[in-house]
Amino acid sequence: MDSERTLTIIKPDGVEQRNVGDIIKKFEESQLRIKAAKMLHLTREQAEGFYAVHRERNFFNDLTRYMSSGPILVLVLEGENAIDRLRDLMGATDPKKAAKGTIRQLYATSIEKNVIHGSDGPVTAKTEIGYFFSALEVL
Ligand code: GDP
């Protein structure tokens, strides 16, 4: 399996609850390398742009309000099978359904405030990395 890149976001609740260090430790323990990182506080419009695919979902307004409610940490991770590896570390969207020891099972408080985002496929990963980082910013 070739090395792959994925985009992850530690969402406002994860930063606020001070879960950043524990989450990054899990990335590194899982052989994922940090290739880029930046802290941002998204505007509502920037959050809407990032989640444009969810525009028709009934939770779109709540989701974009939450994602623009405080600072986030956005990272590019690289490693073998990075996209699926990260999704496994994250756990299911709904923390009540997330497997034991996953980031969402450990730290998330609801299906909305679920601490972490991870790209769901190679095409999405490329688009999402490009949304936040220029080529020069990804090492
Ligand atoms: P993910 O790939 O596991 O992050 O899940 P989705 O792509 O389906 O949803 C994107 C994000 O929208 C999730 O991570 C949650 O923060 C939020 N979300 C998903 N489902 C719901 C829901 O039913 N209600 C609310 N309020 N937010 C949701």
Side-chain angles (χ1 to χ4, degrees), residues 33-139:
R33 286 187 180 281
I34 298 171
K35 305 301 280 187
K38 63 171 79 160
M39 201 138 195
L40 294 169
H41 188 153
L42 297 181
T43 64
R44 188 71 179 262
E45 291 70 27
Q46 289 167 339
E48 287 172 359
F50 180 72
Y51 278 116
V53 290
H54 290 316
R55 194 168 287 280
E56 303 307 321
R57 308 283 281 273
N58 61 1
F59 57 80
F60 182 72
N61 279 339
D62 289 340
L63 173 61
T64 55
R65 186 184 312 115
Y66 152 59
M67 286 302 289
S68 56
S69 68
I72 58 173
L73 185 67
V74 191
L75 303 100
V76 176
L77 301 177
E78 186 178 271
E80 256 184 54
N81 206 16
I83 294 170
D84 286 346
R85 191 180 288 241
L86 173 65
R87 298 287 304 188
D88 286 348
L89 284 179
M90 287 164 52
T93 310
D94 181 351
K96 288 200 234 67
K97 296 179 184 152
K100 202 161 185 299
T102 58
I103 291 166
R104 284 167 166 170
Q105 184 267 324
L106 288 169
Y107 307 119
T109 51
S110 72
I111 193 167
E112 177 181 278
K113 293 185 174 55
N114 62 3
V115 174
I116 186 164
H117 168 85
S119 306
D120 63 6
V123 176
T124 325
K126 197 159 190 286
T127 310
E128 292 182 350
I129 291 169
Y131 192 78
F132 289 110
F133 297 98
S134 74
L136 286 176
E137 291 175 313
V138 184
L139 304 184

Side-chain angles (χ1 to χ4, degrees), residues 8-28 34 37-40 71-75 77 103 107 115-116:
T8 187
I9 302 176
I10 303 179
K11 296 181 177 183
D13 52 329
V15 173
E16 175 64 24
Q17 292 165 178
R18 284 172 276 144
N19 300 136
V20 170
D22 288 337
I23 293 172
I24 287 179
K25 191 168 183 354
K26 285 186 177 292
F27 297 156
E28 297 195 321
I34 298 171
K38 63 171 79 160
M39 201 138 195
L40 294 169
I72 58 173
L73 185 67
V74 191
L75 303 100
L77 301 177
I103 291 166
Y107 307 119
V115 174
I116 186 164

